[in-house]
Amino acid sequence: MPRLADPVIHLGMLLAAIKINGFPCKANISADDFFFAGLRNPGNTNNPAGSVVTAANVEKFPGVNTLGVSIARIDYAPGGQNPPHTHPRATEIIFVLEGTLEVGFITTANKLFTKIVNKGDVFVFPRGLVHFQQNRGHGPAAVVAAFNSQLQGTQAIAMTLFGATPPVSSDILAKAFRIDNGEVDAIKAKFAPK
Amino acid sequence: MPRLADPVIHLGMLLAAIKINGFPCKANISADDFFFAGLRNPGNTNNPAGSVVTAANVEKFPGVNTLGVSIARIDYAPGGQNPPHTHPRATEIIFVLEGTLEVGFITTANKLFTKIVNKGDVFVFPRGLVHFQQNRGHGPAAVVAAFNSQLQGTQAIAMTLFGATPPVSSDILAKAFRIDNGEVDAIKAKFAPK
Amino acid sequence: MPRLADPVIHLGMLLAAIKINGFPCKANISADDFFFAGLRNPGNTNNPAGSVVTAANVEKFPGVNTLGVSIARIDYAPGGQNPPHTHPRATEIIFVLEGTLEVGFITTANKLFTKIVNKGDVFVFPRGLVHFQQNRGHGPAAVVAAFNSQLQGTQAIAMTLFGATPPVSSDILAKAFRIDNGEVDAIKAKFAPK
Amino acid sequence: MPRLADPVIHLGMLLAAIKINGFPCKANISADDFFFAGLRNPGNTNNPAGSVVTAANVEKFPGVNTLGVSIARIDYAPGGQNPPHTHPRATEIIFVLEGTLEVGFITTANKLFTKIVNKGDVFVFPRGLVHFQQNRGHGPAAVVAAFNSQLQGTQAIAMTLFGATPPVSSDILAKAFRIDNGEVDAIKAKFAPK
Amino acid sequence: MPRLADPVIHLGMLLAAIKINGFPCKANISADDFFFAGLRNPGNTNNPAGSVVTAANVEKFPGVNTLGVSIARIDYAPGGQNPPHTHPRATEIIFVLEGTLEVGFITTANKLFTKIVNKGDVFVFPRGLVHFQQNRGHGPAAVVAAFNSQLQGTQAIAMTLFGATPPVSSDILAKAFRIDNGEVDAIKAKFAPK
Amino acid sequence: MPRLADPVIHLGMLLAAIKINGFPCKANISADDFFFAGLRNPGNTNNPAGSVVTAANVEKFPGVNTLGVSIARIDYAPGGQNPPHTHPRATEIIFVLEGTLEVGFITTANKLFTKIVNKGDVFVFPRGLVHFQQNRGHGPAAVVAAFNSQLQGTQAIAMTLFGATPPVSSDILAKAFRIDNGEVDAIKAKFAPK
């Protein structure tokens, strides 16, 4: 058997024809494969939530394949919100780059833990729990978020339930939220795929 | 050092004074420690959801401590629902004991996978994803649900967001669901702790 | 790089040309991939053990690939036995569907833990330990068994030692069981591949 | 919070009053805690199997706690046997110190893989599978065996089934091995605790 | 058994009298337990390396216990260096807060991957490999570093080898670095504990 | 789907066209795939370190793929040294085949644990920590080393820092070791690739 060029790298990206975890591997790697410039600038927060997540996970940054980490920056317009969501496969830890945010998560015993955080502060959201951030300052806010997974996955709760394709039956959502079908349909209209 | 009575058991429950993962261990174990009779009978479904989960996880069934599995039975009145929820720490696989259920989960790409299942059918809900079951038959329904965790944890989405203690700010929920504060408060009233 | 259809699913079954853990992945998945109907009916127990395991692991039910769980139903004729065996890669938890069974496992300190279980009862067999079930009632019995592995593997002890291909040397088995070679050969004859 | 003396060590053995995984930790550790002299000499093979395992796992060698490895030496008289057994929690890899052994394991598809090994040879037994070694030379034999677990656990098949306390019912063993109760009882007599 | 207040939290910090992984748990937790303010300000870089790591791992930030992540900020004076080091238990991913750094790591095939990174850039250092950062700009530099471990551990190579207590024998270091004992002793003098 | 020949083996080496973890799998396996004869004889220690590591990891011994273990023998001329190094992915446990060695490791708190070991002794080096062995006897020495990884990886510290390709900048090494650039270049010359 030919001697492998580099065992450590090999595990992640040996040959172009090989995929590991379904992600492509490369024959000739360089330092650029471990580098990502896509978080330099704030993302565009001109959307209904007033917030945007710019991800550097294995889909965008293949170099983290097999390494068990990924990172993102999240930008928030004043009043902007990263709405309640979960990451099925990761704990998240944030560092505030600028601004003032209300952050929180809810436990499996239905307790809310919430806190106002400012530039330089750190907060951790345990694996799998529903959590959110909301810009409570007068200017833009931004955080760096790190995950102990190369592909944390995200389920934004309202979009997941009211914007799925095909849609979740309205009677299921009506019973779940204890509202009527008309109210469900009104929310669904807000999350309909464009 | 004294010879340990039983290494395998030892890992879970050596001494009464010891806790592993915070759960008590026992000095004298018997077959009863690996046995649980609490799922024999249907649970009481006389509640707003028309459904009840009877759990045999490490809180109720200490014998599964360190073993990486737990089990539950879920009973559903006609029309009853196990509302959309997540398990932060486990995949779930169900076997239908009786009845006809609509089951489904939503992926991180916001696709709904839904199916009608009947007695003897199996369905699997991947780790951490939002999922639900609804009784679509005319009589009671029941499933056995197994988890690859001794303590899967559960977040019922509507209760988590609208029934937390202390409450999640109404403006956060209003923005998230794109409804107004009054609508949020009306839903919160339905989930208020009694 | 093209945007992945669905990261969660992707991990298990992205493309038909890709195998993960050696199992095929699919390009177009549907709810049916997470569904398995093969446990609806009792298996045929007309065999020497009077028992049959119908498995829904990744070989039969590819949808559990990467999900860390699998399930099976086990049927037992009156007096039927799921003979002493191990699962090299999983803890097993059973729920009794019907009948009365003697179940047991032996620890690494050579202690037997055994129990009579009935409809609706739960019992757990720790990872890797020798265990068995025997129908002690007058009618058929059945259980649902869940595993924290997509492919638990099974070694039925007597078949493994006395029915292997090629055969284990008789002198090795004679010494191990402290019987003579003729007795070994008599047992081997019972387990010979047909 | 006081600064910890040494995080790496701390994980294994911080304070005498603390147990991790149920094993005692020490306040003052030295190089001796990572050292074990108990494998220097051959063990006594004067027993029915003609073989003895001298273990250096976490019960005997607490320094491996949390480190995920252990080691043993196995000595064999001429004709001696380490009888068919499993390790529920570890793969085993052996290096032959002296002598000539027949080694083998059986897969979950009931295939036997067997080989004659000599001084300096290496053989690996996959996690959880039934395996054995038998001295096929004219003099003593010995191996060093390493495990990827601090406490691999062992179930010697014949002793597990025929020598358990309390005993496994003879009718269960008779049906499993397709012999009669009298033959079972004869084997049990050989493995009865003294 | 009393109902646990909160299973998720419970795993990390149930009772003050309990330690998990040797770290103390708390009976009454609040959002402050998941919050850390100690990274707000640059650390003091007035030291021989011209660099300082301010850690928020489980020793300083107990809230990350069991959560599998930690974070740090690293500040660099002009010309300052985070010297070649390893983390035995974690991959590291950095986000540049300000300045211009040369960063690099060496693989197990002895290849150096190095890159100049600037504000907003991301770079990843695979688990366990020797890596470094050096301020190549004219002003101060700073990064946020995240780890997929609650306690990554650090071995600064030169300090580890030349500043250990008790010291590593000079002849061992001389042979390793192919220098003479006098040169070793001169380096040791620079790293002697004060 | 065709029935798999053998699930356990399948995980490691099902088909020649498949790679798992990037390593080739085979269609027809035999006992030889689990056997390795390459450690029978001492390696050639005629090199500057006076020591040689003969590895039986997944690169040389494909049968350990997915099994989580590997093994090596290390031979030392009198005065020979296995220089300070780390294994990014494994704990190492050694058994001394012959000779007298000084072995040691340094913790993340910069404490050296060192010990003289002789034939038959065991010593363990915790995952990721810098460690070394030096022959302190008058004749050759040898150990068997086992790892809880199929590919432990090795970074020999001096070679990693002073012999990388391309080279680490001399000013970085000078600052790290608190020596001048000339001294760095002199060491580099000793480790230059031939």
Side-chain angles (χ1 to χ4, degrees):
Chain A
M1 194 169 80
R3 184 92 187 15
L4 296 170
D6 186 35
V8 164
I9 299 315
H10 168 82
L11 288 175
M13 43 180 64
L14 183 59
L15 294 174
I18 291 183
K19 297 196 180 198
I20 296 208
N21 294 345
F23 292 97
C25 299
K26 296 179 62 178
N28 296 302
I29 59 171
S30 73
D32 287 342
D33 290 297
F34 300 95
F35 170 76
F36 189 76
L39 304 191
R40 281 185 184 171
N41 300 312
N44 181 353
T45 59
N46 185 12
N47 58 50
S51 159
V52 65
V53 178
T54 308
N57 59 34
V58 72
E59 294 183 340
K60 301 286 184 59
F61 181 18
V64 297
N65 196 14
T66 76
L67 296 184
V69 297
S70 59
I71 201 165
R73 77 173 283 157
I74 313 172
D75 292 284
Y76 314 81
Q81 175 190 72
N82 189 8
H85 63 282
T86 64
H87 302 299
R89 294 183 293 272
T91 290
E92 175 178 354
I93 192 164
I94 61 165
F95 175 89
V96 182
L97 294 173
E98 69 171 321
T100 297
L101 293 153
E102 179 180 349
V103 301
F105 68 88
I106 299 114
T107 73
T108 55
N110 240 26
K111 289 188 183 168
L112 171 69
F113 289 136
T114 187
K115 182 83 183 168
I116 297 293
V117 295
N118 293 288
K119 184 176 177 177
D121 286 348
V122 168
F123 200 85
V124 65
F125 304 101
R127 180 184 295 259
L129 297 186
V130 173
H131 62 288
F132 59 85
Q133 303 104 31
Q134 177 121 357
N135 186 344
R136 293 301 195 192
H138 300 293
V143 307
V144 171
F147 305 90
N148 59 348
S149 165
Q150 66 184 44
L151 189 58
Q152 80 279 23
T154 298
Q155 294 204 290
I157 295 301
M159 178 61 88
T160 294
L161 289 173
F162 293 92
T165 302
V168 179
S169 296
S170 291
D171 73 323
I172 289 177
L173 294 172
K175 190 170 184 69
F177 285 90
R178 303 183 191 171
I179 56 181
D180 62 36
N181 283 18
E183 290 170 300
V184 167
D185 292 342
I187 300 175
K188 279 182 167 178
K190 306 274 182 52
F191 290 96
K194 299 294 154 44
Chain B
M1 194 169 82
R3 184 89 187 18
L4 296 171
D6 186 58
V8 164
I9 300 315
H10 168 82
L11 288 174
M13 45 180 62
L14 182 60
L15 295 173
I18 290 183
K19 297 196 180 197
I20 295 206
N21 295 344
F23 292 96
C25 299
K26 296 180 61 178
N28 296 301
I29 58 171
S30 72
D32 287 342
D33 290 296
F34 300 94
F35 170 76
F36 189 76
L39 304 191
R40 281 186 183 170
N41 300 312
N44 181 353
T45 59
N46 185 12
N47 57 51
S51 158
V52 64
V53 178
T54 309
N57 60 34
V58 71
E59 295 182 342
K60 301 286 184 58
F61 180 19
V64 296
N65 196 14
T66 77
L67 296 183
V69 296
S70 60
I71 201 166
R73 78 173 284 159
I74 314 174
D75 292 284
Y76 315 80
Q81 176 189 73
N82 189 7
H85 63 282
T86 64
H87 302 297
R89 294 184 292 272
T91 291
E92 175 178 353
I93 192 165
I94 61 166
F95 175 89
V96 182
L97 295 174
E98 69 171 320
T100 297
L101 293 154
E102 179 180 350
V103 302
F105 67 87
I106 299 116
T107 72
T108 56
N110 240 25
K111 289 189 183 168
L112 171 68
F113 290 135
T114 187
K115 182 84 184 168
I116 297 293
V117 295
N118 292 289
K119 184 175 178 177
D121 287 347
V122 168
F123 201 84
V124 65
F125 305 101
R127 179 183 296 260
L129 297 187
V130 172
H131 61 288
F132 59 86
Q133 303 103 32
Q134 178 121 358
N135 185 344
R136 292 301 195 192
H138 299 294
V143 307
V144 172
F147 305 91
N148 59 348
S149 165
Q150 66 184 44
L151 189 58
Q152 79 279 23
T154 299
Q155 295 204 289
I157 296 301
M159 179 60 88
T160 294
L161 289 174
F162 292 92
T165 303
V168 178
S169 296
S170 292
D171 73 323
I172 288 177
L173 295 172
K175 191 172 183 68
F177 285 89
R178 302 183 192 172
I179 55 180
D180 64 35
N181 283 18
E183 290 170 299
V184 167
D185 292 343
I187 300 174
K188 279 183 167 177
K190 305 272 181 52
F191 289 95
K194 299 297 154 45
Chain C
M1 194 169 81
R3 184 87 185 24
L4 296 170
D6 187 58
V8 164
I9 299 316
H10 168 81
L11 288 173
M13 45 182 62
L14 183 59
L15 294 174
I18 291 182
K19 296 196 181 199
I20 296 208
N21 294 344
F23 292 96
C25 299
K26 296 178 62 178
N28 295 303
I29 58 171
S30 73
D32 286 343
D33 290 296
F34 300 94
F35 170 76
F36 189 76
L39 304 192
R40 279 187 185 169
N41 300 313
N44 181 353
T45 59
N46 185 12
N47 57 51
S51 157
V52 65
V53 178
T54 308
N57 59 34
V58 71
E59 294 182 340
K60 301 286 185 59
F61 181 18
V64 297
N65 196 13
T66 77
L67 296 184
V69 297
S70 60
I71 201 165
R73 78 173 284 158
I74 314 172
D75 292 284
Y76 314 81
Q81 176 189 72
N82 188 7
H85 63 283
T86 64
H87 302 298
R89 294 183 293 272
T91 291
E92 175 177 353
I93 192 165
I94 60 166
F95 175 90
V96 182
L97 294 174
E98 69 169 321
T100 297
L101 294 154
E102 179 179 348
V103 301
F105 67 88
I106 299 115
T107 72
T108 57
N110 240 26
K111 288 189 183 168
L112 171 69
F113 290 136
T114 187
K115 181 85 184 168
I116 298 293
V117 295
N118 292 289
K119 184 176 178 178
D121 286 347
V122 169
F123 201 85
V124 65
F125 304 101
R127 178 184 297 258
L129 297 185
V130 173
H131 62 288
F132 60 84
Q133 303 103 31
Q134 177 120 357
N135 186 345
R136 293 299 195 192
H138 299 294
V143 308
V144 172
F147 304 91
N148 58 349
S149 166
Q150 66 183 43
L151 189 59
Q152 79 279 22
T154 298
Q155 294 204 290
I157 295 303
M159 178 61 89
T160 293
L161 289 174
F162 293 91
T165 303
V168 179
S169 296
S170 292
D171 74 323
I172 288 176
L173 294 172
K175 190 170 183 70
F177 285 89
R178 302 182 191 172
I179 55 182
D180 63 36
N181 282 18
E183 291 170 301
V184 167
D185 292 341
I187 301 175
K188 278 183 168 178
K190 304 274 181 52
F191 290 97
K194 301 293 153 50
Chain D
M1 193 170 83
R3 184 89 187 19
L4 296 170
D6 185 347
V8 165
I9 300 315
H10 167 81
L11 288 175
M13 45 180 64
L14 183 60
L15 294 174
I18 291 181
K19 297 196 181 197
I20 296 207
N21 294 344
F23 293 96
C25 300
K26 296 179 61 177
N28 296 303
I29 59 172
S30 73
D32 287 343
D33 291 296
F34 300 94
F35 170 77
F36 188 77
L39 305 191
R40 281 185 184 170
N41 300 312
N44 182 353
T45 58
N46 185 11
N47 57 51
S51 158
V52 65
V53 178
T54 309
N57 59 34
V58 70
E59 294 182 342
K60 300 287 183 59
F61 181 18
V64 296
N65 196 14
T66 78
L67 296 184
V69 296
S70 60
I71 200 165
R73 79 171 284 158
I74 313 173
D75 292 285
Y76 315 81
Q81 176 189 72
N82 189 6
H85 63 282
T86 65
H87 303 297
R89 292 183 294 273
T91 291
E92 175 177 352
I93 191 164
I94 61 166
F95 174 91
V96 182
L97 294 174
E98 69 170 321
T100 297
L101 294 154
E102 179 180 350
V103 301
F105 67 89
I106 299 116
T107 72
T108 56
N110 240 25
K111 289 190 183 166
L112 171 68
F113 290 136
T114 187
K115 182 86 185 165
I116 297 293
V117 295
N118 293 289
K119 184 175 178 178
D121 287 346
V122 169
F123 200 85
V124 65
F125 305 101
R127 179 183 297 260
L129 296 186
V130 172
H131 61 288
F132 59 85
Q133 303 104 32
Q134 178 121 356
N135 186 344
R136 293 298 195 194
H138 299 293
V143 307
V144 172
F147 304 91
N148 58 348
S149 165
Q150 66 183 44
L151 189 58
Q152 79 279 23
T154 298
Q155 294 205 289
I157 295 303
M159 178 61 89
T160 294
L161 289 174
F162 293 91
T165 304
V168 178
S169 296
S170 292
D171 72 324
I172 288 177
L173 295 172
K175 189 171 184 69
F177 286 88
R178 302 182 192 172
I179 55 180
D180 64 35
N181 283 19
E183 291 170 300
V184 167
D185 292 341
I187 301 175
K188 279 183 167 179
K190 306 272 181 53
F191 290 96
K194 301 292 153 50
Chain E
M1 193 169 81
R3 184 88 186 22
L4 296 170
D6 186 57
V8 165
I9 299 316
H10 168 81
L11 289 174
M13 46 180 62
L14 183 60
L15 294 174
I18 291 182
K19 297 197 180 196
I20 297 210
N21 296 343
F23 293 95
C25 300
K26 296 179 61 177
N28 297 302
I29 59 171
S30 73
D32 287 343
D33 291 296
F34 299 95
F35 170 76
F36 189 76
L39 303 191
R40 280 186 184 170
N41 301 311
N44 181 352
T45 59
N46 185 12
N47 57 51
S51 158
V52 65
V53 178
T54 309
N57 59 34
V58 71
E59 294 183 342
K60 300 286 184 60
F61 181 17
V64 297
N65 196 14
T66 76
L67 296 184
V69 297
S70 60
I71 202 166
R73 78 173 284 158
I74 313 172
D75 292 284
Y76 315 81
Q81 175 189 72
N82 189 6
H85 63 283
T86 64
H87 302 298
R89 294 183 292 272
T91 291
E92 176 177 353
I93 191 165
I94 62 165
F95 175 90
V96 182
L97 295 173
E98 69 170 323
T100 297
L101 293 154
E102 179 180 350
V103 301
F105 67 89
I106 299 116
T107 72
T108 56
N110 240 25
K111 290 190 183 167
L112 171 68
F113 290 135
T114 187
K115 182 86 185 167
I116 298 293
V117 295
N118 292 289
K119 183 175 177 177
D121 286 347
V122 168
F123 201 84
V124 66
F125 305 101
R127 179 183 296 259
L129 297 186
V130 172
H131 62 287
F132 59 85
Q133 304 103 32
Q134 178 120 359
N135 186 344
R136 293 299 195 194
H138 299 294
V143 308
V144 172
F147 305 91
N148 59 348
S149 165
Q150 66 183 44
L151 189 59
Q152 79 278 25
T154 298
Q155 294 204 289
I157 296 301
M159 179 61 89
T160 294
L161 289 174
F162 293 91
T165 303
V168 178
S169 296
S170 292
D171 74 323
I172 289 176
L173 295 172
K175 190 171 184 67
F177 286 88
R178 303 183 191 171
I179 55 181
D180 64 35
N181 283 18
E183 291 169 301
V184 166
D185 292 342
I187 300 175
K188 279 183 168 178
K190 305 273 181 52
F191 290 96
K194 300 293 152 50
Chain F
M1 192 168 82
R3 185 90 187 16
L4 295 170
D6 185 355
V8 164
I9 299 315
H10 168 82
L11 288 174
M13 43 181 63
L14 183 60
L15 294 174
I18 291 182
K19 297 197 180 198
I20 296 208
N21 294 343
F23 293 96
C25 300
K26 297 179 61 177
N28 296 303
I29 59 172
S30 73
D32 286 342
D33 291 296
F34 300 95
F35 170 75
F36 189 77
L39 304 192
R40 280 185 185 171
N41 301 312
N44 182 353
T45 59
N46 185 12
N47 58 50
S51 157
V52 64
V53 178
T54 308
N57 60 34
V58 71
E59 294 182 341
K60 301 284 184 60
F61 181 18
V64 297
N65 196 14
T66 77
L67 295 184
V69 297
S70 60
I71 201 165
R73 79 173 283 158
I74 314 173
D75 291 284
Y76 315 80
Q81 175 189 73
N82 189 6
H85 63 283
T86 64
H87 303 297
R89 294 183 292 271
T91 291
E92 175 178 354
I93 192 164
I94 61 166
F95 175 90
V96 182
L97 294 173
E98 69 171 320
T100 298
L101 294 154
E102 179 179 349
V103 301
F105 68 88
I106 299 116
T107 71
T108 55
N110 241 25
K111 289 189 183 167
L112 171 68
F113 290 134
T114 187
K115 182 85 184 166
I116 298 293
V117 296
N118 292 289
K119 184 177 177 177
D121 286 348
V122 169
F123 200 84
V124 65
F125 304 101
R127 178 182 297 260
L129 297 185
V130 172
H131 62 287
F132 58 85
Q133 303 103 32
Q134 178 121 357
N135 185 345
R136 293 299 196 194
H138 299 294
V143 308
V144 172
F147 304 91
N148 58 348
S149 166
Q150 66 184 44
L151 189 58
Q152 79 280 22
T154 299
Q155 294 203 290
I157 295 302
M159 179 61 89
T160 294
L161 289 174
F162 293 92
T165 303
V168 179
S169 296
S170 292
D171 73 323
I172 288 176
L173 295 172
K175 191 171 183 69
F177 285 89
R178 302 183 192 173
I179 56 180
D180 63 36
N181 282 17
E183 291 170 300
V184 166
D185 293 340
I187 301 175
K188 280 183 167 177
K190 307 272 181 53
F191 290 96
K194 301 293 153 50

